């Protein structure tokens, strides 16, 4: 999904790799990827990739880079290191060595060195190490891209915005098709769907790391922003519907939609999913039901899921239901046979996105006592 999105934003040499997408492009592509990508977590600019065996190899490659051409030494930095099967004993030590390399090169070239700020740095440097090679990157995003800038209330156990957008892409949902989230929580899926429909640039309410870098082209950035906003449609009522049993959750969702300028786009109500009538003859249900957060312990869920299956069969024949959950018991308990199971993670939590085709008199199975 992300590879297709990057191609649509003008990237070339696009390649899906483990846990990400590699691509090439100029500054315009970089700016567009940050402003318009709904699925990416970060956009990292690769400075180089090398073989290594020891900490000193990493230090030497880092100190050789022309850091003064990349950003000003008066800015603050943070170094993030991650590794898979690296022979080096301490990621903390290699993080320190990369920071030393950057500061040593700045001091040699300019007589000044950047300070470290681990909370809100101006510039983020990332290193990735495997068993034999390592790469260094500058973070062009700054704060992770799921932080859209519109959210006012997170609620309980919210989805990250880019995960919600990725789930919508995986379902194949297209703007204009009726969409219902009957357990909407703070409204993340609804907000992302409305933004997609109205072509609202997801990064339009925030700043980015590339604005701190020496090569930042303010005129080009304004051009990219103007082009994105010219595609945006005015807010109007959409076939996007949300509900939640909790009045407080509905209030949070409405507050988030209002903050994003989308209050009139989405129809919200307080309702029990087991009693909620279908808002259209057909469409998609996409929802992230509570798994032990709002409904309580596992036994409560074991009672709830069969009732949910019954409600889907009774009220939503002709709909497709996509349910994202960390409770892998759900298909057995809901009593419906999933037509797809897509493995996903919500942070470190292993989850599944299940598709249930709700059709009359089929795809139903009795839950074993």
């Amino acid at each position: 999904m992300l590879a297709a999105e990057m191609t649509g934003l003008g990237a070339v040499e696009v390649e899906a790799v483990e846990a990400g997408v590699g691509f090439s492009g100029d500054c315009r592509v970089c700016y567009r990827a940050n402003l318009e990508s709904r699925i990416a977590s970060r956009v990292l600019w690769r400075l180089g990739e090398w073989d290594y065996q020891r900490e000193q190899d990493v230090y030497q490659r880092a100190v050789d880079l022309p850091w003064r051409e990349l950003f000003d030494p008066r800015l603050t930095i943070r170094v993030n290191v991650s590794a898979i099967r690296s022979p080096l004993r301490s990621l903390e030590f290699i993080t320190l060595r990369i920071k030393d390399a950057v500061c040593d090169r700045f001091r040699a070239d300019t007589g000044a060195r950047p300070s470290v700020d681990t909370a809100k740095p101006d510039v983020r440097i990332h290193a990735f190490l495997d068993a034999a090679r390592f790469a260094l990157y500058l973070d062009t995003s700054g704060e992770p891209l799921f932080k859209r800038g519109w959210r006012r209330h997170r609620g309980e156990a919210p989805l990250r915005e880019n995960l919600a957008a990725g789930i919508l892409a995986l379902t194949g949902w297209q703007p204009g098709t009726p969409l219902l989230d009957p357990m909407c929580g703070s409204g993340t899926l609804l907000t992302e769907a409305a933004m997609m429909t109205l072509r609202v640039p997801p990064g339009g309410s925030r700043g980015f790391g590339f604005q701190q870098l020496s090569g930042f082209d303010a005129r080009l950035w304004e051009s990219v922003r103007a082009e994105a906003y010219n595609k945006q449609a005015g807010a109007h009522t959409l076939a996007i519907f949300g509900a939640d049993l909790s009045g407080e959750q509905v209030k949070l969702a409405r507050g988030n939609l209002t903050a994003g300028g989308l209050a009139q786009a989405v129809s919200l109500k307080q309702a029990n999913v087991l009693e909620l009538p279908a808002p259209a003859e057909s469409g998609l249900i996409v929802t992230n039901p509570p798994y032990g957060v709002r409904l309580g312990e596992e036994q409560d869920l074991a009672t709830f899921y069969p009732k949910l299956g019954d409600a889907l069969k009774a009220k939503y024949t002709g709909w497709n239901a996509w349910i994202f959950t960390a409770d892998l018991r759900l298909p057995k308990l809901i009593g419906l046979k999933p037509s797809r199971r897509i493995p996903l993670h919500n942070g470190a939590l292993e989850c599944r996105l299940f598709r249930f085709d709700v059709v009359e008199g089929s795809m139903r199975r009795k839950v074993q006592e």
Side-chain angles (χ1 to χ4, degrees):
M1 295 298 147
L2 179 56
E5 185 183 56
M6 288 298 104
T7 299
L9 292 173
V12 297
E13 300 179 61
V14 179
E15 179 186 8
V17 298
E18 186 175 358
V21 167
F23 66 93
S24 298
D26 57 14
C27 286
R28 176 179 289 275
V29 172
C30 174
Y31 297 172
R32 287 195 69 193
N34 278 288
L35 177 65
E36 298 183 60
S37 174
R38 302 184 189 279
I39 303 174
S41 297
R42 295 182 180 276
V43 180
L44 304 180
W45 171 21
R46 188 165 69 182
L47 304 177
E49 185 176 3
W50 308 271
D51 294 330
Y52 79 101
Q53 293 180 334
R54 301 167 297 140
E55 287 87 351
Q56 183 61 27
D57 298 331
V58 176
Y59 172 88
Q60 192 59 52
R61 292 300 187 182
V63 83
D64 286 344
L65 290 170
W67 294 102
R68 67 174 176 176
E69 299 176 12
L70 301 175
F71 61 90
D72 193 287
R74 290 171 294 185
L75 299 178
T76 59
I77 64 170
R78 171 175 174 166
V79 177
N80 295 84
V81 175
S82 60
I84 299 175
R85 299 182 300 274
S86 172
L88 304 184
R89 294 184 178 180
S90 171
L91 293 187
E92 290 185 6
F93 182 66
I94 202 62
T95 301
L96 180 62
R97 293 298 285 152
I98 294 171
K99 184 270 294 180
D100 288 344
V102 176
C103 293
D104 290 350
R105 181 61 187 264
F106 264 117
R107 189 183 291 110
D109 288 346
T110 69
R113 51 151 288 177
S115 299
V116 173
D117 184 343
T118 58
K120 292 186 176 181
D122 299 313
V123 176
R124 298 170 190 257
I125 300 163
H126 294 258
F128 295 90
L129 298 87
D130 63 19
R133 293 180 66 79
F134 82 100
L136 287 173
Y137 299 81
L138 276 181
D139 189 337
T140 70
S141 300
E143 290 291 324
L145 295 178
F146 76 84
K147 295 185 178 182
R148 309 292 204 220
W150 56 260
R151 186 185 287 277
R152 296 297 178 267
H153 310 284
R154 296 202 67 82
E156 296 178 342
L159 289 178
R160 287 185 172 182
E161 287 77 355
N162 62 330
L163 176 57
I167 288 170
L168 289 168
L170 285 167
T171 68
W173 174 76
Q174 293 295 319
T177 300
L179 178 75
L180 168 66
D181 182 352
M183 292 171 279
C184 69
S186 58
T188 307
L189 282 162
L190 301 173
T191 304
E192 290 297 312
M195 292 177 72
M196 290 169 65
T197 304
L198 299 174
R199 299 187 295 279
V200 177
S205 300
R206 51 162 288 168
F208 299 97
F210 61 73
Q211 294 173 276
Q212 302 284 0
L213 303 181
S214 296
F216 174 57
D217 186 333
R219 182 174 295 180
L220 175 61
W221 172 230
E222 286 306 312
S223 171
V224 168
R225 282 173 55 87
E227 184 178 333
Y229 282 115
N230 284 340
K231 300 174 188 173
Q232 183 174 327
H236 58 278
T237 302
L238 306 173
I240 299 176
F241 308 91
D244 200 279
L245 179 63
S246 165
E248 184 61 30
Q249 291 294 319
V250 173
K251 182 179 178 181
L252 294 182
R254 185 168 284 115
N256 285 328
L257 288 162
T258 299
L262 302 167
Q264 72 180 91
V266 177
S267 301
L268 275 179
K269 64 170 65 175
Q270 181 180 358
N272 187 334
V273 61
L274 304 180
E275 302 168 356
L276 186 67
E281 290 187 4
S282 63
L284 260 68
I285 294 172
V286 184
T287 193
N288 173 217
Y291 26 96
V293 177
R294 277 176 276 152
L295 287 181
E297 301 300 323
E298 287 190 358
Q299 185 54 48
D300 296 316
L301 294 173
T303 302
F304 169 72
Y305 287 142
K307 294 178 181 178
L308 177 60
D310 291 338
L312 291 176
K313 286 292 293 183
K315 303 175 186 297
Y316 292 91
T317 297
W319 285 64
N320 292 324
W322 292 81
I323 302 180
F324 177 69
T325 182
D327 192 336
L328 305 187
R329 305 173 305 159
L330 185 142
K332 178 181 178 181
L333 294 173
I334 203 171
L336 294 169
K337 183 179 179 181
S339 57
R340 289 194 68 185
R341 304 167 182 253
I342 302 175
L344 293 171
H345 278 80
N346 187 5
L349 200 60
E350 182 181 356
C351 299
R352 293 289 185 275
L353 178 61
F354 296 107
R355 170 176 167 163
F356 301 97
D357 302 316
V358 188
V359 294
E360 188 71 37
S362 64
M363 304 294 282
R364 188 76 169 110
R365 64 188 184 194
K366 183 173 176 152
V367 178
Q368 298 298 317
E369 295 296 336

